Structure formats: C-alpha cells, structure tokens
C-alpha cells in the first residue's frame, strides 16, 4: 500500500531527462560508473517538485495521489472494492539504481506513515466471520519500506530509439496497518485491526501488482516523448 509511496520513487527517472525539455530543478546524469550515485542524488532533489505535479512533463499532482479508476481486490472469501482512492505518501528514497546494460531501474523507499482514503465496499468473510461494510474507508500504514524494479526494452520509432517498459515487480512491508471502515460493527473493526497482518496478506500480492502498474505509468510517458540517448548527459 505504500505502494503509493513507492509511486513517488518512480519519478527518480525524471531528473535524468534532457535539460532543454525539463525544468532546472531536474538534473541530468552521465551514463558512467557514477550513474547510480548521481541518479540517487537527483531523485532525492527532484522528487519534491515532481510530486507537486508538472504539466510540462505531463505529470499530475501526487499530493495527494488520486487514482481515477476502480480497484477490485478479491479472494475466495472476501472482496474489497475501492473507488476514488486518494493516497498521502511521504517517503524517503534510500536507494535508486539504473542499470543500462540490463535495462533495469530499481528503487527502495522508507516511510513513517502512508494514508489511504477512499469510498469502499467490503463483503464476505474474514477469519470465518461475516463482514459487510460500505462508505468512507481509511487505511494507515506505518513504519515500512518498499522495493520496486522496472524492466524496459529499446524500440526504434521514426529513426529514434526510445525506452519501453515491458515488466516489473514491487514488494512492500509495513510495521503496522490500521483500518477504519464506515458502517461496520465494532467487533469486526477490532478483529481486522487485531489481525491486520492476515487482513493485509489476503490482498498483498494484488497490491504489489497495483504498485508496479502505478509506478510504470510515468516512466512510460517519459520514455514515449524522450529518446533514450537524451535521458543522459
């Protein structure tokens, strides 16, 4: 779920873009032995501005992050429908690497608190107990970290070579998760929060896939308009 904080990292790539097309707060890096150190430095410096949104880059505001489509997480016994998701995800970028030989971009972030707010519906069974709730839901993820890896190919379009995201993985761990559901009985609310690790575990893999999808989007947009050789100094 800090799937969203993780979303912040995705913009690490932006500081590598050509200065003629991008704001001064973004730094280009040389594709040499110092690339990763420069990449990490530029990611940390540029992310604050990137998360505010930048029409020039085609990046919307990410404070908060707004997900414009419905998300459905479902297991054999339980279904969670998420609409109008808003995420506040301040993160600290601890590592960022760009391997141009393996065509891999990787990132690691830490966070103290990530907040999800959304309109939701929860229906089914949790720990053999019936559960049904709908309304305004909030999830708070505390003291965790996430890792993210994106893979890309090089494709040629009109004589220029561009990056093209072709896969990726994400993982996350949280020290604690607190869930607040509207229109749910107190006993079930307490049961879920007492067993938050089991509740998170039901949807964990699907959320990691969602995180990868979210962080891939901006990279796809950047690669689409910027030839690969212009990403570096």
């Amino acid at each position: 779920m800090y799937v969203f904080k993780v979303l912040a990292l995705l913009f690490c790539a932006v500081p590598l873009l050509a200065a003629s097309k991008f704001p001064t707060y973004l730094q280009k890096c040389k594709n040499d032995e110092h690339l990763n150190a420069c990449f990490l430095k530029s990611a940390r410096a540029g992310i604050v501005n990137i998360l505010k949104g930048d029409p020039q880059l085609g990046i919307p505001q990410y404070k908060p992050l707004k997900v414009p489509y419905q998300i459905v997480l479902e297991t054999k016994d339980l279904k969670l429908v998420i609409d109008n998701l808003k995420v506040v995800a301040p993160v600290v970028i601890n590592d960022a690497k760009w391997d141009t030989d393996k065509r891999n971009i990787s990132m690691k972030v830490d966070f103290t608190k990530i907040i999800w707010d959304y309109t939701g519906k929860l229906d089914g069974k949790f720990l053999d107990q019936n559960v049904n709730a709908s309304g305004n839901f909030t999830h708070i993820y505390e003291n965790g970290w996430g890792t993210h890896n994106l893979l890309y190919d090089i494709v040629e379009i009109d004589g220029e070579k561009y990056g093209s995201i072709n896969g990726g993985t994400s993982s996350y761990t949280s020290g604690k998760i607190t869930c607040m559901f509207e229109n749910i009985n107190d006993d079930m609310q307490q049961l879920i929060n007492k067993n938050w690790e089991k509740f998170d575990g039901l949807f964990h893999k699907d959320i990691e896939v969602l995180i990868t999808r979210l962080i891939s989007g901006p990279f796809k947009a950047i690669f689409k308009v910027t030839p690969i050789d212009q990403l570096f100094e």
Side-chain angles (χ1 to χ4, degrees):
M1 292 160 168
Y2 21 73
V3 34
F4 296 104
K5 88 203 170 244
V6 167
L7 184 51
L9 296 189
L10 59 90
F11 296 117
C12 308
V14 175
L16 304 181
L17 301 176
S20 61
K21 293 185 178 181
F22 294 89
T24 55
Y25 61 78
L26 301 178
Q27 177 187 348
K28 288 172 44 176
C29 295
K30 292 182 179 180
N31 186 10
D32 59 16
E33 67 272 19
H34 304 296
L35 172 60
N36 288 332
C38 178
F39 186 26
L40 177 59
K41 180 181 178 180
S42 61
R44 288 173 169 170
I47 195 171
V48 174
N49 290 291
I50 293 300
L51 293 179
K52 294 177 182 178
D54 193 325
Q56 184 179 1
L57 297 178
I59 296 176
Q61 177 178 318
Y62 281 83
K63 297 179 69 177
L65 163 68
K66 296 180 181 180
V67 179
Y69 50 84
Q70 184 180 81
I71 300 166
V72 179
L73 305 177
E74 189 170 10
T75 69
K76 179 172 66 71
D77 297 317
L78 194 61
K79 182 177 181 179
L80 176 62
V81 179
I82 299 172
D83 286 298
N84 303 314
L85 176 62
K86 297 180 181 179
V87 181
V88 177
V91 300
V92 175
I93 302 175
N94 283 329
D95 197 17
K97 292 183 171 66
W98 191 315
D99 189 327
T100 55
D101 292 328
K102 296 181 178 180
R103 298 175 182 174
N104 173 269
I105 299 168
S106 63
M107 299 162 283
K108 181 179 179 181
V109 298
D110 289 347
F111 67 91
T112 55
K113 182 179 290 186
I114 301 293
I115 300 175
W116 284 29
D117 284 315
Y118 61 95
T119 302
K121 181 174 177 59
L122 183 65
D123 186 60
K125 286 189 174 183
F126 178 66
L127 297 181
D128 296 323
Q129 301 293 314
N130 292 327
V131 55
N132 184 280
S134 62
N136 296 320
F137 294 177
T138 298
H139 298 182
I140 301 174
Y141 304 87
E142 299 179 78
N143 302 321
W145 53 268
T147 61
H148 316 281
N149 293 278
L150 294 178
L151 304 175
Y152 65 94
D153 285 326
I154 304 296
V155 297
E156 186 168 329
I157 302 174
D158 296 330
E160 294 275 13
K161 293 182 179 180
Y162 294 83
S164 177
I165 300 296
N166 69 353
T169 60
S170 295
S171 65
Y172 73 89
T173 298
S174 183
K176 180 182 179 181
I177 302 174
T178 302
C179 301
M180 291 170 278
F181 303 104
E182 191 173 27
N183 301 316
I184 193 172
N185 67 66
D186 291 341
D187 289 343
M188 179 53 67
Q189 179 83 72
Q190 293 175 13
L191 181 67
I192 290 174
N193 284 326
K194 182 179 179 180
N195 297 277
W196 64 267
E197 289 175 297
K198 291 183 179 179
F199 183 79
D200 175 62
L202 294 173
F203 308 118
H204 196 96
K205 292 299 182 183
D206 287 336
I207 291 171
E208 290 179 335
V209 172
L210 173 63
I211 293 172
T212 303
R213 176 183 177 183
L214 290 171
I215 67 174
S216 296
F219 280 108
K220 289 178 179 179
I222 293 168
F223 283 169
K224 184 177 181 179
V225 300
T226 309
I228 197 73
D229 61 352
Q230 293 182 25
L231 295 175
F232 306 97
E233 186 176 72

